[in-house]
Each structure stands twice: as C-alpha cells, then as structure tokens.
Amino acid sequence: MERTLYEEDHELFRESVRAFVERFVRPGYSQFTADRVITRDVWHEAGRAGFLGLGVADEHGGSDVHDYRFNAVWVEELSKVSAGVASSFSVHTDIVAPYVADLTTQEQRKRWLPAFCSGEMVAAIGMTEPAAGSDLAALRTTAVADGSDWIINGSKTFITNGYSADFVVLAARTDPAAKSARGITLFGVTADTPGFSRGRKLQKVGQPESDTAELFFTDMRVPGDAVIGEVDHGFPLMMQRLPQERISVAVSSIAHATQILGETLDYVAERKAFGASIGSFQHNKFLLAELVTKIDVTQAFVDSCVAAHSRGKLSAVDAAKAKWWSSEVQNAVLDACVQLHGGYGYMTEYRAAQAWMDGRVTKIWAGTNEIMKEIIGRSLGF
C-alpha cells in the first residue's frame, strides 16, 4: 500500500541513511555481534553525517531538525538491517535526546550536547531496576542532598548501551518520604564519575550487537548542576517522553518485520517441494496473505501515529496501542517466517532465525504489552 507519511526531503534523507548503513553497518555487523557492542568508529561516522543530533539546535552541533518523521526514517532503515543497531542508536537519538535537548539549562546543553551529537559521547537512560521493571514509580536508587551536591546509591539493569555509555540520564528517588511516583529526580551523569561502575555485558536471547549491562552507583557524588529539570519532578517528565520511546519501538518493530517478510517471500518463491515453489501451496499462500495484510494495516496505524507525533498530538494511549500491537504483529510475522523456512529457519546463519530472536524483546521493553493494555483499558474508564 502506498505510504503518504513522507515527503521528498524525508526520502532524500533516507538515501543518506541507506548509504551510511551500506558503508558502515552491514560490513561491521558480524564484528558487532561477536564483540556484543557497536564499534566507536560507527558512532563517530553517524555523528559526522548529522544523524545523532536530530532535534538538537545547530549551535550545539545538532541538525536543528524538529520533525519526528526524520527520526522515523533513521530508525526504519537501521531496523531493516539490524534490530540491535537500531535499538542502540534509537536510545541515543529518540529516548535520551529529548531529555538533554529540551529539559536542560543552557550551560548543561553546552556541556553535553556537542559530544552527544558528534558521537564522541554514547548515551543511555537509567530507569529500569532489578526490583522495578515497568513500574518506574517503585525505583529504589536514591539521591541524598549533601550541601549543594547529591550522593547517589543504587543500581539499574537491562540498560541498552550500558556497557559503552559515557553519559546516562539517571532516575533516582530524592524524597524517600514521598509516595509512589513523587519525589523522583533526573540527573545527567558521566561514566567517569567516582562511584559509577558497570556490571558484565548481559547475555541476551537476541540483539547481541546492542550492548546491555547493569549499572551500579556507590556513594556517587554529583554536583547540583547535574539535575535535569526540577528536583522531585522527574516522574512526570519521564511520563511525558514515554510516547516517543513507544512510537520509536513501533516504527522499528514494523520495519524489521516488513524486511524479513520480504526476504521470506523471496525464499518461498525459490524453494521447491513436490515440484512447485512452497509459496504456491494453498496453506502457505493463505498464510502469506494474512501476514502482508497485518503488516499493511499496522503500518498505516503506525504512520498515523508518527504523523500525529510530528505535530505534537500523539497521545499516551495511542502510543501504547502502537507499541503493543506492532510488537505482537512483528512477533507473529517473524515466527511464521521461521516456519516457512523449515529447518533452515532454525539456523542462526539465516536472517529469519536471528530476527526471530531479536524481535522477542519488543513485547517486553518500553513497558510490557500487559502494561500497554492497562494504559488503554484505563482510558476506557476501567
């Protein structure tokens, strides 16, 4: 189905992203997966090309582009070749960037954003904790005032870019007496701060190229000017920015599934059994008809959400719908692609198998799909 979301400038930008992918991502992919991290030279090249500063003012090294459709193109093209590379870069450009570009002081922007945009500084976000996954209000990492400084103690887990990050937007509880979501503050923390340490690279089912780690903070002293936004007002700031994280996941999920389904269509056209291509068998033909329809219908809704977000009109409920539905469709499509490949679909050397492993996490991160349904259900008055 023809997509009407993008204009000529977006498609020209897509060509630039594709050139970057072909030159720096595809050739290095096997190394990224072996080392379980994206090499720094690729970050630097992304910065030189202007991909890391979308939504950041040019005075701080950014592209000064304030149209989320460019972010969507960036995520789509990365997702087609590697879900893990897409997740690492989208954490930087879609999740961390809005905090640093929109909520900081002029001094903080001057301090952090040039390196953020150039790729010299890889960013992560520290929200998830061992005892508080989707329930961000239950976090236990603490920040205690000590004069004009803050002393931070606690830990975070499942942090994308955690092993390589130079900078972390960190959520900590600053008012232990406050109930639930109140009393949480955001901090900008650099990895060279005494008391900051990392655990091991976590072994994941999929997306090995996206480094994921635990972070630990032991009597970590940060200055007062590390606070992002207002003290004790971090939770609403996180809630306001979660729709962008969730629509980014939706964009990636559907682009990833669309690419692998296209490759599977080529496979079933060529693969022969009983004297005919396996795609011509009625069961497979009907299955493929269902899959391409699910993709097209989901793409139309996700495109509508991207357009709404570009206008500043995307609601938290619609973002939740896009996130859970696209990830469900993605996983259904990828599972079917594995089945259509037969025994080869279970071999990791085949893209369908790797994609199947890579895609499973999308039903968990950015808030589990069960949490997404809770958000939608509450909007119905229940």
Side-chain angles (χ1 to χ4, degrees):
M1 184 175 182
E2 182 183 2
R3 299 173 69 187
T4 58
L5 175 64
Y6 299 116
E7 299 171 9
E8 184 179 0
D9 286 350
H10 303 108
E11 296 304 337
L12 290 172
F13 179 71
R14 189 186 301 277
E15 292 178 13
S16 297
V17 177
R18 284 176 176 169
F20 166 80
V21 166
E22 292 302 319
R23 186 174 179 186
F24 300 108
V25 177
R26 286 191 192 277
Y29 177 72
S30 59
Q31 182 183 350
F32 305 158
T33 56
D35 297 342
R36 289 186 289 142
V37 68
I38 299 167
T39 54
R40 281 303 177 106
D41 62 303
V42 179
W43 285 94
H44 297 159
E45 292 296 342
R48 274 192 278 273
F51 299 140
L52 303 182
L54 299 172
V56 177
D58 55 10
E59 65 178 302
H60 302 302
S63 305
D64 213 14
V65 173
H66 302 278
D67 176 351
Y68 183 75
R69 290 176 292 177
F70 287 97
N71 296 61
V73 168
W74 168 240
V75 171
E76 281 181 359
E77 293 304 314
L78 291 174
S79 299
K80 290 175 184 178
V81 65
S82 164
V85 172
S87 64
S88 282
F89 278 113
S90 64
V91 163
H92 189 96
T93 58
D94 281 9
I95 299 176
V96 177
Y99 290 94
V100 186
D102 302 340
L103 300 176
T104 51
T105 64
Q106 181 67 3
E107 189 280 327
Q108 287 172 323
R109 290 192 286 273
K110 287 181 178 179
R111 192 191 334 160
W112 294 326
L113 282 174
F116 178 95
C117 294
S118 70
E120 296 295 325
M121 182 174 79
V122 174
I125 190 154
M127 291 185 182
T128 305
E129 296 187 356
S134 294
D135 186 7
L136 296 177
L139 62 83
R140 297 180 180 177
T141 296
T142 61
V144 178
D146 183 29
S148 60
D149 295 341
W150 294 88
I151 309 298
I152 299 177
N153 284 281
S155 65
K156 303 291 179 178
T157 194
F158 309 141
I159 305 304
T160 301
N161 297 343
Y163 200 81
S164 58
D166 307 290
F167 176 83
V168 179
V169 172
L170 176 65
R173 187 167 295 283
T174 44
D175 184 356
K179 294 182 179 180
S180 187
R182 299 178 181 177
I184 294 173
T185 301
L186 300 176
F187 296 86
V189 176
T190 55
D192 58 359
T193 305
F196 181 111
S197 62
R198 314 175 202 265
R200 58 194 169 88
K201 287 182 190 175
L202 298 174
Q203 292 275 9
K204 308 190 298 295
V205 171
Q207 301 194 17
E209 67 274 32
S210 173
D211 71 281
T212 306
E214 301 163 305
L215 302 179
F216 301 98
F217 318 102
T218 306
D219 294 331
M220 183 176 70
R221 180 181 292 272
V222 299
D225 62 5
V227 171
I228 294 176
E230 295 182 48
V231 172
D232 293 338
H233 287 76
F235 189 79
L237 297 178
M238 291 190 288
M239 293 301 101
Q240 290 163 13
R241 279 147 190 84
L242 279 174
Q244 177 155 310
E245 178 178 357
R246 288 167 181 162
I247 193 58
S248 179
V249 169
V251 168
S252 179
S253 295
I254 198 65
H256 185 226
T258 300
Q259 178 66 30
I260 301 304
L261 179 57
E263 294 175 16
T264 301
L265 285 168
D266 292 337
Y267 176 82
V268 299
E270 296 174 2
R271 177 73 169 170
K272 298 291 193 297
F274 307 106
S277 67
I278 63 173
S280 67
F281 299 161
Q282 187 180 65
H283 172 81
N284 291 343
K285 190 187 303 181
F286 283 10
L287 173 60
L288 291 165
E290 293 174 7
L291 298 179
V292 297
T293 301
K294 285 181 179 178
I295 287 286
D296 282 352
V297 172
T298 305
Q299 187 71 73
F301 182 71
V302 171
D303 282 358
S304 181
C305 289
V306 170
H309 189 50
S310 297
R311 301 191 304 269
K313 299 295 185 181
L314 179 64
S315 70
V317 173
D318 283 344
K321 291 175 183 177
K323 188 271 174 185
W324 90 260
W325 183 256
S326 65
S327 61
E328 292 286 346
V329 168
Q330 174 196 28
N331 276 267
V333 168
L334 295 176
D335 190 75
C337 288
V338 168
Q339 193 72 17
L340 286 163
H341 276 76
Y344 294 107
Y346 204 59
M347 301 295 108
T348 56
E349 64 202 78
Y350 277 74
R351 295 233 318 149
Q354 187 61 55
W356 181 58
M357 293 187 290
D358 290 345
R360 183 56 181 84
V361 72
T362 62
K363 296 199 286 186
I364 299 172
W365 64 13
T368 65
N369 282 4
E370 291 74 18
I371 294 294
M372 299 303 98
K373 293 175 186 179
E374 178 69 18
I375 293 169
I376 298 163
R378 286 178 184 175
S379 75
L380 304 177
F382 300 105

